[in-house]
DNA sequence: GTGTGGATTATCT
DNA sequence: GATAATCCACACC
């Protein structure tokens, strides 16, 4: 894996990492077959100070243990009784910061993704949401806590220039995070990052924060 | 012990 | 737009 992203890539505060992860490729090997997608939408969660973060107030339950690990750890949580969402732990080490992967542009293993999500018509919707992305890539609590800088099963890598160039037409915008209405002063902070107008987003990214 | 709500999605109307 | 899917952490007895 010559293009694999290493420790130093992940060791930045969540907002910085969230921005850097846009355009990177997420890879998961399932049954010896590669499934991958280019990250097109992320959100930063800032740790104990952030009301919207699972580590708010320094919470350290078994569920969120992975979010306190080293940068580059995968944190997967289960929610709404149905869905998984995946995060990449950010820096500094053990600071409780992470980046939610909200949407991917499918690249490899699209046939396998379709088997996992048989009702989906268009490739663009195979991973156009945080729980959709987990379904498409077969990520669940089984993968919680793995080290993306070491694992032979899941990692991040630099996207080949040929593929990355297709994204350059989309400007990167920021806006408020999705689904955190309870988070008081954190509701409107521009911690969601995406390629504005890309067809694989979970929902359009407002060019201005919603009041 | 009980009750509530969520970093969501697909399927209804 | 509304709702069901129905787990996990937490607040509060």
């Amino acid at each position: 894996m010559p293009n694999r992203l290493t420790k130093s890539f992940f060791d930045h505060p969540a907002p910085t990492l969230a921005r850097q992860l846009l355009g990177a490729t997420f890879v998961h090997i399932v049954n010896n077959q590669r499934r991958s997608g280019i990250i097109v939408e992320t959100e930063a969660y800032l740790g104990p100070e952030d009301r919207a973060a699972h580590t708010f107030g320094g919470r350290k339950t078994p569920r969120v243990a992975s979010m306190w690990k080293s940068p580059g750890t995968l944190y997967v949580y289960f929610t709404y009784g149905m869905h998984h969402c995946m995060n990449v732990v950010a820096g500094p080490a053990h600071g409780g910061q992470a980046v939610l992967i909200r949407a991917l542009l499918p690249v490899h293993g699209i046939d396998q993704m379709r088997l996992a999500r048989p009702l989906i018509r268009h490739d663009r919707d195979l991973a156009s949401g945080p729980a959709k992305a987990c379904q498409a890539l077969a990520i669940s609590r089984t993968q919680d806590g793995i080290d993306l800088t070491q694992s032979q099963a899941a990692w991040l890598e630099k996207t080949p220039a040929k593929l990355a160039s297709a994204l350059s037409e989309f400007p990167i915008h920021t806006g408020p995070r999705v689904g955190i209405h309870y988070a008081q002063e954190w509701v409107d902070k521009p911690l969601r990052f995406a390629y504005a107008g890309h067809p694989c987003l979970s929902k359009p990214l407002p060019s201005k924060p919603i009041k």
Side-chain angles (χ1 to χ4, degrees), chain A residues 10-31:
Chain A
F10 299 99
D11 194 7
H12 300 280
T16 304
L17 181 60
R19 165 66 186 78
Q20 290 181 169
L21 282 170
L22 292 179
T25 295
F26 193 104
V27 181
H28 187 204
I29 306 298
V30 187
N31 298 327

Side-chain angles (χ1 to χ4, degrees), chain A residues 48 54-69 93-96:
Chain A
H54 289 170
T55 48
F56 175 65
R59 189 165 71 212
K60 284 178 178 151
T61 58
R63 183 211 206 193
V64 302
S66 296
M67 201 168 154
W68 291 102
K69 293 187 178 174
H94 317 297

Side-chain angles (χ1 to χ4, degrees), chain A residues 77-123:
Chain A
Y77 67 90
F78 187 62
T79 191
Y80 292 101
M82 298 265 306
H83 298 300
H84 296 275
C85 296
M86 62 170 157
N87 300 251
V88 177
V89 176
H94 317 297
Q97 300 197 37
V99 176
L100 174 68
I101 306 301
R102 284 195 59 89
L104 302 170
L105 166 64
V107 176
H108 290 116
I110 290 177
D111 291 346
Q112 302 298 310
M113 295 183 195
R114 284 195 165 281
L115 288 173
R117 293 176 47 70
L119 302 178
I120 301 314
R121 292 193 187 201
H122 300 103
D123 288 355

Side-chain angles (χ1 to χ4, degrees), chain A residues 5 10 31 53 134 160 175 195:
Chain A
L5 301 178
F10 299 99
N31 298 327
C134 285
Y195 291 107

